[in-house]
Amino acid sequence: MKKVEAIIKPFKLDEVKEALSSIGVQGLTVTEVKGFGRQKGHTELYRGAEYVVDFLPKVKLEIIVSDDLAAQVVETIERSARTGRIGDGKIFVMPMEDVVRIRTGERGSNAL
């Protein structure tokens, strides 16, 4: 099993979710996060005062999938989240040692 984490632009969430559903992903966790990479934030003007916005709003997706589906999930997120501009995000893939479904006690891929 693999854990796929993706940091994407918030307005791309629905498009990514629909694309993942179409390839058979049954569940994902979404968290609103803030951060910066190469964008380094930007300056804004508010009531005549200029201030720096260091952390930009992003969305973090966490998806646990079987090994054979991981590459397709990464490809699907990459395709559907891309705008072609800086700040599109990152995808991280990590091994998942175990998963337990709390309700039934099922473990491993049966718990997905």
Side-chain angles (χ1 to χ4, degrees), residues 6-7 13 28-34 58-62:
I7 310 293
L13 177 59
L28 63 109
T29 301
V30 178
T31 310
E32 291 181 8
V33 295
K34 291 183 179 201
K58 301 286 182 179
V59 172
K60 178 180 175 181
L61 306 176
E62 296 175 271

Side-chain angles (χ1 to χ4, degrees), residues 36-68:
F36 70 90
R38 290 187 179 153
Q39 283 177 293
K40 303 278 194 274
H42 61 279
T43 58
E44 288 188 3
L45 202 61
Y46 179 72
R47 294 189 178 181
E50 192 173 281
Y51 64 98
V52 177
V53 177
D54 289 332
F55 296 102
L56 301 171
K58 301 286 182 179
V59 172
K60 178 180 175 181
L61 306 176
E62 296 175 271
I63 308 148
I64 311 298
V65 292
S66 59
D67 288 334
D68 56 330

